[in-house]
Amino acid sequence: MAGRNLIIFGPPGAGKGTQAPRLAAEFGLPHVATGDMFRAHQREGTALGLRAKAYMEAGELVPDTLVIEMLVERIGQADAADGFLLDGFPRTVAQAVALDVELAANGSRIDALLVLDVTEEDVVTRISGRLVCANGHVFHETFSPPAVAAVCDTCGLALARRADDEPDVVRNRYRNVYLAQTAPVRDHYTALGVPALDVDGTGSTDAVYERLRTALQRP
Ligand code: AMP
């Protein structure tokens, strides 16, 4: 398979968070997701969680220095010594450079990017179709609708679309955050000769997963 320091890459809504835990488990790599780490900090009420909160709620990137420090600490832990699957990091070229410097200090590097290819329209359909209740149970208008329209199957509360999942907001985030700030990370790695393994991110969860496995197992 491709080397062991991997990045799963693609816009929010591409399916990274769905695919990465399964892939990491199968390949024996820790799944390192910076969004999950920030959410854990918020649940625990840490200073970092508080600082990240406003950015996350606005759909903006948390400042590089905060993310980099948290990530470097995480990949320094013993379970990441033989590789990791990064999910949601790096999201800027500055983050990628900081990661490369950190890895190089240990004689290591990023081995490959697994890229989930989806269009802007796919992203808008996926994200703006999401419905959540006040307890955080998630449904989807098209892909996993509730039994009764606009009512949570689990707790019976009303389902609604989150303000930051409105189509205009999703499009704005795709163009001004993903295309403008994150997409250049791929070019950064291409320039360094790191392979980007493109995978069609459309279709069922299982179909996408099989494509990812195949891409990783290719010599
Ligand atoms: P995610 O769960 O990966 O979609 O991340 C949720 C939110 O956390 C993002 O919208 C950002 O506000 C923040 N975040 C996660 N990872 C990063 C990162 N690498 N750089 C900046 N902000 C991040």
Side-chain angles (χ1 to χ4, degrees):
M1 83 179 240
R4 316 262 316 162
N5 292 338
L6 306 173
I7 296 172
I8 189 162
F9 193 77
K16 301 188 298 294
T18 305
Q19 301 292 343
R22 191 170 165 191
L23 208 58
E26 179 171 345
F27 288 90
L29 300 170
H31 170 218
V32 177
T34 42
D36 291 350
M37 293 168 74
F38 280 130
R39 283 184 285 274
H41 274 278
Q42 280 172 22
R43 279 195 302 276
E44 290 157 18
T46 69
L48 177 59
L50 272 177
R51 290 180 73 183
K53 193 169 191 280
Y55 297 100
M56 293 176 71
E57 285 176 351
E60 289 168 14
L61 296 182
V62 174
D64 285 338
T65 46
L66 298 183
V67 193
I68 290 167
E69 195 179 326
M70 177 178 78
L71 188 279
V72 165
E73 195 272 332
R74 175 65 188 87
I75 62 172
Q77 291 172 15
D79 67 336
D82 293 329
F84 45 73
L85 177 61
L86 298 183
D87 168 3
F89 184 97
R91 264 177 155 100
T92 64
V93 171
Q95 291 177 18
V97 170
L99 172 65
D100 297 344
V101 168
E102 182 65 23
L103 291 174
N106 297 310
S108 185
R109 56 180 259 150
I110 290 297
D111 296 301
L113 266 64
L114 277 167
V115 184
L116 282 175
D117 289 324
V118 291
T119 65
E120 179 176 331
E121 288 315 306
D122 293 327
V123 167
V124 172
T125 308
R126 288 183 189 190
I127 298 184
S128 64
R130 257 184 343 210
L131 299 169
V132 293
C133 73
N135 286 329
H137 300 126
V138 184
F139 297 82
H140 193 282
E141 283 169 354
T142 314
F143 306 124
S144 56
V148 178
V151 177
C152 178
D153 287 359
T154 312
C155 60
L157 294 178
L159 292 172
R161 185 190 270 161
R162 283 186 355 206
D164 59 342
D165 287 348
E166 290 294 334
D168 286 355
V169 179
V170 176
R171 268 183 217 288
N172 181 52
R173 205 158 59 210
Y174 181 87
R175 293 179 190 172
N176 297 328
V177 180
Y178 177 71
L179 286 186
Q181 299 187 66
T182 305
V185 168
R186 176 184 180 142
D187 305 327
H188 165 81
Y189 283 111
T190 301
L192 293 178
V194 175
L197 311 173
D198 277 289
V199 167
D200 175 0
T202 61
S204 72
T205 302
D206 286 348
V208 175
Y209 185 72
E210 284 310 316
R211 291 180 205 130
L212 286 167
R213 283 183 79 211
T214 308
L216 266 183
Q217 284 163 341
R218 229 172 272 142

